[in-house]
């Protein structure tokens, strides 16, 4: 019996989300249906609404869901009905990179996350019988019920409030994983984080966990910089007022061992590379419009500097998300401080607040 699922639908480029009741089909043998308790709004959802790259419309986006398993297919063994889960990105499980434990670099990442359908071309969501593009990041969780492969659900501690956990599935694991997994920031390191949104602040908190001793957050919003200080940044720079490269050089004259670029802006990437120490590593995370290029000084790279692209923080979600939750429970990773809750039906307000930098990490609650 198909479920009726209240969903936020994008029907045309730049159109607002419309709340509609859609139908969700039953799970196949390796699929589960999750009743979404809350779902984060990530930059990627907003740029998809703007058709950052073409995805079939109408579509349901949403990729930071958390909820409770309500139905499982006949062959599912990973989770049971009633389990609390965080929904992660999708990956094939069989390609060279999935087999190497690098699912966020799955060689079929696009088809599994952005095609708007499953590989067989079908979609689980319909509107009065007409197909609606779904399976966004394997979840399309701007919907009361989300159909996922058992591969991209992560069972989590049921004692932790589900209305904060969704962002662990993308923005938080992206920023924290960049620092802890991809860059391997060591105790005593120097690190500068460009952009103090949900990803950048997660990187700041992870740098604290790693024991970095100089942690600089750069942003243009004073409210975000204030929060960065509360979360453990040792310095902040307001890029709307200061000359960032000069200010960074003042703080660490020899250059930073690590920089993290989360804004997707080419000029910021250039600064993030220019302010590296010899042998320093710049992690670049921010998505930019298709075809964007940056004017990197090639001679700077010769001296052992590295630019490292990072997707989803190199996370293996089943391992990394429970680790982040444990750190949260110990008070060492207070990512809930970035979250503002909104009613699900107020999704357009939440997106506007995120774009206007009034909210760092909106989470929609059912
Ligand atoms: Zn794969
Ligand atoms: Zn995301």
């Amino acid at each position: 019996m198909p479920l009726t699922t209240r969903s936020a639908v994008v029907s045309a480029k730049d159109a607002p989300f419309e709340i509609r009741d859609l139908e969700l089909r039953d799970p196949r043998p390796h699929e589960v249906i999750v009743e979404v308790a809350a779902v984060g709004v990530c930059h990627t959802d907003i740029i998809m609404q703007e058709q950052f790259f073409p995805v079939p419309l109408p579509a349901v986006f949403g990729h930071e869901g958390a909820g409770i398993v309500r139905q499982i297919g006949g062959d599912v063994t990973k989770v049971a009905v009633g389990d609390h889960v965080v929904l992660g990105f999708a990956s094939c499980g069989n390609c060279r990179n999935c087999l190497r434990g690098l699912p966020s670099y799955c060689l079929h990442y696009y088809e599994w996350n952005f095609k708007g359908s499953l590989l067989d071309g079908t979609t689980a969501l319909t509107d009065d019988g007409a197909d609606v593009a779904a399976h966004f990041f394997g979840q399309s969780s701007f919907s009361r019920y989300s159909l996922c492969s058992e591969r991209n659900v992560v069972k989590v501690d049921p004692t932790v409030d589900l209305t904060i956990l969704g962002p662990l599935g993308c923005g938080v694991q992206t920023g924290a994983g960049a620092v802890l997994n991809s860059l391997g920031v060591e105790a005593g390191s120097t690190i500068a984080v460009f952009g103090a949104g949900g990803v950048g602040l997660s990187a700041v908190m992870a740098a604290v966990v790693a024991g970095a001793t100089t942690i600089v957050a750069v942003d243009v919003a004073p409210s975000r910089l204030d929060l960065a200080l509360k979360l453990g940044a040792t310095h902040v720079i307001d890029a709307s007022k200061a000359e960032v490269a000069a200010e960074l050089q003042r703080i660490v004259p020899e250059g930073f061992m690590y920089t993290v670029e989360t804004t997707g802006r080419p000029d910021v990437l250039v600064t993030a590379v220019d302010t590296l120490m010899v042998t320093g590593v710049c992690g670049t995370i921010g998505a930019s419009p298709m075809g964007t290029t940056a004017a990197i000084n090639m001679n700077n790279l010769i001296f052992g500097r590295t630019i490292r692209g990072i997707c989803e923080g190199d996370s293996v979600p089943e391992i990394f998300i429970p680790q982040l939750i444990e750190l949260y429970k110990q008070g060492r990773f207070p990512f809930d401080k970035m979250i503002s809750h909104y009613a699900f039906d107020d999704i357009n307000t939440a997106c506007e607040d995120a774009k206007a930098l009034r909210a760092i990490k909106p989470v929609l609650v059912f």
Side-chain angles (χ1 to χ4, degrees):
M1 265 290 288
L3 281 170
T4 300
T5 182
R6 191 172 181 78
S7 308
V9 182
V10 175
S11 296
K13 182 177 186 292
D14 295 324
F17 292 95
E18 291 164 51
I19 305 295
R20 280 195 225 158
D21 281 338
L22 305 179
E23 307 92 45
L24 182 67
R25 69 157 168 76
D26 293 336
R28 293 175 183 168
H30 286 284
E31 293 173 341
V32 305
I33 288 180
V34 175
E35 182 176 2
V36 177
V39 52
V41 175
C42 185
H43 180 62
T44 316
D45 298 307
I46 295 174
I47 62 178
M48 296 315 289
Q49 192 187 13
E50 296 161 359
Q51 289 276 287
F52 173 74
F53 57 81
V55 166
L57 296 175
V60 173
F61 301 118
H63 64 289
E64 290 187 349
I68 299 174
V69 177
R70 292 303 185 200
Q71 292 185 36
I72 59 172
D75 293 336
V76 170
T77 54
K78 185 180 181 186
V79 290
V81 170
D83 282 348
H84 287 206
V85 289
V86 168
L87 312 183
F89 56 86
S91 58
C92 81
N94 298 310
C95 72
R96 184 178 285 259
N97 280 344
C98 282
L99 293 171
R100 292 199 300 149
L102 298 170
S104 65
Y105 305 101
C106 172
L107 299 180
H108 309 289
Y109 197 79
Y110 179 84
E111 300 96 286
W112 282 82
N113 290 283
F114 300 120
K115 204 170 147 252
S117 63
L118 294 172
L119 296 195
D120 65 5
T122 64
T123 166
L125 280 177
T126 49
D127 186 0
D128 268 335
D131 281 353
V132 174
H135 309 284
F136 185 60
F137 279 94
Q139 52 179 283
S140 287
S141 48
F142 286 161
S143 189
R144 184 58 165 146
Y145 294 95
S146 169
L147 182 141
C148 305
S149 158
E150 67 176 318
R151 270 186 62 77
N152 64 307
V153 298
V154 179
K155 187 175 168 178
V156 294
D157 182 340
T159 66
V160 181
D161 178 7
L162 271 173
T163 71
I164 64 166
L165 292 181
L168 292 174
C170 185
V172 174
Q173 74 172 347
T174 294
V179 168
L180 297 172
N181 301 327
S182 321
L183 300 178
V185 169
E186 314 92 333
S189 304
T190 57
I191 179 168
V193 178
F194 295 79
V199 172
L201 290 174
S202 298
V204 166
M205 285 184 278
V208 175
V209 168
T213 43
T214 301
I215 304 168
V216 185
V218 184
D219 202 281
V220 293
S223 58
R224 293 173 176 227
L225 295 174
D226 287 347
L227 184 55
L229 285 170
K230 290 194 183 94
L231 295 175
T234 57
H235 303 72
V236 294
I237 299 174
D238 184 340
S240 70
K241 298 200 174 98
E243 214 281 279
V244 175
E247 193 60 20
L248 287 168
Q249 203 194 10
R250 194 186 60 73
I251 296 167
V252 182
E254 67 189 12
F256 284 77
M257 294 165 70
Y258 300 100
T259 58
V260 177
E261 196 308 291
T262 73
T263 70
R265 286 178 43 162
D267 56 328
V268 177
L269 177 62
V270 168
T271 306
V273 175
D274 285 348
T275 51
L276 284 174
M277 188 179 84
V278 168
T279 71
V281 186
C282 168
T284 179
I285 303 175
S288 45
M290 289 305 190
T292 303
T293 56
I296 303 296
N297 179 337
M298 291 171 65
N299 287 332
N300 267 348
L301 291 181
I302 289 172
F303 291 95
R305 294 182 178 92
T306 303
I307 303 175
R308 164 75 147 83
I310 299 169
C311 183
E312 297 284 351
D314 292 11
S315 174
V316 176
E318 291 93 329
I319 297 172
F320 194 50
I321 289 175
Q323 288 175 347
L324 293 177
I325 292 174
E326 208 50 43
L327 286 163
Y328 164 76
K329 287 171 69 181
Q330 294 179 5
R332 300 164 69 194
F333 190 75
F335 70 98
D336 57 321
K337 299 242 185 322
M338 306 189 297
I339 291 175
S340 314
H341 284 118
Y342 293 77
F344 178 68
D345 288 12
D346 294 334
I347 181 169
N348 290 304
T349 310
C351 291
E352 287 310 314
D353 285 356
K355 282 193 252 184
L357 310 185
R358 285 188 294 268
I360 294 172
K361 175 49 76 179
V363 172
L364 310 170
V365 182
F366 281 92

